[in-house]
């Protein structure tokens, strides 16, 4: 495996550096201002339609931060003062324990390893025949990758994968861990864990950004879990937002299922796409994207103009 071989995979794994030059930043100044105005309009419309709290955005960089999405009435109802302090951590520990139990970090690392081998003329694995990680082989391969963000993510996965179960369960709660990466992979195993090695699949992101945290209704006994998230798009390009919402909803839906032991048939996911009214052409609204959202991502898609 040569450096040139490895250098060709940096974009295929889906982690691309956000490195705009000064000229590009200047050029997009007006467009960014327009986007900001449109987003404010979308926030206002969402607040009127669904309530003020619907339009709040958030960025989760750890499993504990994902807990902030869950409604207080589901997490804290009828708890003592002591339980209020400990319950969020207990739920997060339950999620990290699930990731450890299903060996998500190790499986994702194996999946990336297998994919790299199919893309290079001289394949070299960083796994031993027994499935353990060959640290020297891992470093030899990863250090040749040109994409720094990809190198960092793979090192985080490796560090978690070689820990014992108890240590890994605690570690996956931290911001510095691949906890969110593993949660996204666990929520969509057919994409990130079980797809053929020859398919070029992006590594999950280290953070989960939510445009509009929306609203949730969860029964603590696990009999119902309804998640409703929103996303703002200032340009009428449908396919990418449908996928973004799908990844976000699947991850949150999986998180809720693990926390409250909700059955698949009792989970309902809704995604709302907010677009400028000038983009809501009849052909656009009547496209097959709502069907695609249901078929490929298992959520109901609704489009709103602002």
């Amino acid at each position: 495996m040569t450096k040139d071989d490895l250098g060709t995979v940096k974009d295929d794994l889906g982690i691309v550096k956000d490195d705009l030059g000064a000229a590009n930043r200047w050029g997009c100044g007006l467009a960014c201002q327009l986007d900001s105005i449109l987003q404010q309009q979308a926030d206002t419309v969402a607040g009127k339609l669904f309530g003020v709290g619907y339009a709040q955005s958030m960025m989760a960089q750890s499993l504990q931060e994902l807990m902030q999405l869950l409604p207080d009435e589901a997490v804290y109802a009828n708890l003592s003062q002591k339980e209020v302090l400990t319950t969020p951590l207990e739920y997060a520990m339950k999620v990290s324990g699930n990731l450890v139990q299903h060996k998500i970090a190790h499986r994702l690392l194996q999946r990336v390893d297998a994919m790299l081998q199919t893309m290079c003329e001289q394949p070299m694995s960083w796994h031993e025949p027994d499935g353990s990680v060959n640290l020297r082989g891992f470093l030899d391969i990863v250090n040749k990758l040109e994409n720094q963000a990809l190198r960092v993510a793979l090192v985080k996965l490796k560090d978690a994968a070689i820990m014992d179960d108890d240590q890994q369960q605690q570690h996956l709660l931290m911001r510095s861990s691949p906890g969110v990466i593993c949660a996204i992979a666990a929520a969509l195993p057919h994409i990130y864990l079980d797809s053929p090695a020859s398919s070029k699949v992006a590594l999950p992101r280290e953070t989960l950004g939510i445009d509009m945290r929306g609203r949730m209704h969860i029964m603590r006994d696990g009999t119902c879990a309804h998640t409703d998230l929103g996303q703002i798009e200032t340009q009428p390009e449908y396919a990418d937002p449908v996928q973004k919402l799908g990844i976000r909803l699947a991850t949150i839906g999986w998180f809720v299922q693990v926390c409250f032991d909700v059955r698949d048939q009792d989970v309902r996911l809704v995604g709302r796409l907010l677009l400028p009214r000038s983009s809501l052409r009849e052909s656009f609204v009547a496209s097959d994207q709502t069907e695609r959202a249901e078929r490929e991502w298992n959520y109901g898609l609704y489009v709103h103009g602002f």
Side-chain angles (χ1 to χ4, degrees), residues 1-279:
M1 180 179 289
T2 66
K3 182 176 181 180
D4 290 340
D5 289 330
L6 288 167
T8 62
V9 305
K10 59 184 183 297
D11 290 334
D12 294 322
L13 287 174
I15 301 182
V16 181
K17 292 180 181 178
D18 183 12
D19 188 22
L20 295 175
N24 286 336
R25 289 196 297 270
W26 176 82
C28 77
L30 291 177
C32 292
Q33 291 181 28
L34 178 60
D35 281 351
S36 177
I37 293 172
L38 291 174
Q39 289 187 16
Q40 291 178 14
Q41 292 176 352
D43 288 346
T44 300
V45 170
K48 291 179 178 178
L49 290 175
F50 312 117
V52 176
Y54 190 96
Q56 292 179 353
S57 62
M58 71 166 291
M59 180 72 72
Q61 301 181 59
S62 71
L63 298 181
Q64 293 191 79
E65 290 178 5
L66 278 175
M67 283 295 305
Q68 298 174 15
L69 270 175
L70 304 187
D72 289 349
E73 59 269 21
V75 178
Y76 300 111
N78 302 318
L79 296 182
S80 67
Q81 186 173 1
K82 181 180 180 180
E83 289 173 327
V84 166
L85 297 176
T86 60
T87 296
L89 179 59
E90 290 173 359
Y91 279 130
M93 284 287 289
K94 188 175 181 180
V95 172
S96 64
N98 183 280
L99 295 174
V100 172
Q101 178 186 350
H102 292 91
K103 301 185 182 301
I104 301 301
H106 185 72
R107 290 168 60 193
L108 187 53
L109 201 62
Q110 285 184 316
R111 174 66 181 75
V112 175
D113 187 11
M115 182 169 63
L116 284 174
Q117 292 183 62
T118 67
M119 298 168 64
C120 300
E121 294 181 1
Q122 300 176 351
M124 179 188 301
S125 174
W126 61 58
H127 281 92
E128 300 287 5
D130 64 358
S132 61
V133 177
N134 181 316
L135 296 181
R136 176 175 293 182
F138 175 85
L139 292 175
D140 285 346
I141 295 172
V142 171
N143 286 339
K144 293 174 183 176
L145 294 172
E146 294 182 9
N147 191 298
Q148 182 179 3
L150 173 58
R151 293 200 304 268
V152 171
L154 289 175
V155 168
K156 288 182 178 182
L157 281 171
K158 180 267 298 178
D159 289 344
I162 63 177
M163 294 177 179
D164 64 49
D165 288 356
D166 290 340
Q167 187 180 12
Q168 186 183 150
Q169 184 178 12
Q170 294 285 343
H171 177 68
L172 289 176
L173 299 176
M174 302 171 62
R175 270 192 171 192
S176 59
S177 80
V180 173
I181 293 178
C182 291
I184 296 172
L188 297 162
H190 61 289
I191 296 177
Y192 295 110
L193 301 175
D194 303 327
S195 57
S198 58
S199 63
K200 299 176 182 179
V201 178
L203 198 66
R205 299 286 182 176
E206 293 188 65
T207 60
L208 190 70
I210 308 294
D211 284 3
M212 294 182 169
R213 62 184 300 168
R215 53 193 179 186
M216 302 177 72
H217 176 68
I218 302 171
M219 298 295 292
R220 295 190 67 184
D221 61 3
T223 56
C224 175
H226 182 174
T227 300
D228 182 332
L229 300 180
Q231 182 167 313
I232 304 168
E233 289 295 329
T234 56
Q235 300 296 324
E237 298 175 356
Y238 228 16
D240 188 49
V242 169
Q243 178 176 307
K244 286 181 182 178
L245 273 171
I247 292 173
R248 293 167 180 175
L249 283 163
T251 304
I252 299 304
W254 172 85
F255 191 90
V256 169
Q257 282 188 271
V258 174
C259 285
F260 298 98
D261 300 314
V262 184
R263 299 177 302 173
D264 288 344
Q265 59 266 37
D266 294 324
V267 174
R268 173 158 172 72
L269 304 176
V270 171
R272 300 185 187 276
L273 191 57
L274 284 88
L275 294 165
R277 293 191 181 278
S278 58
S279 301

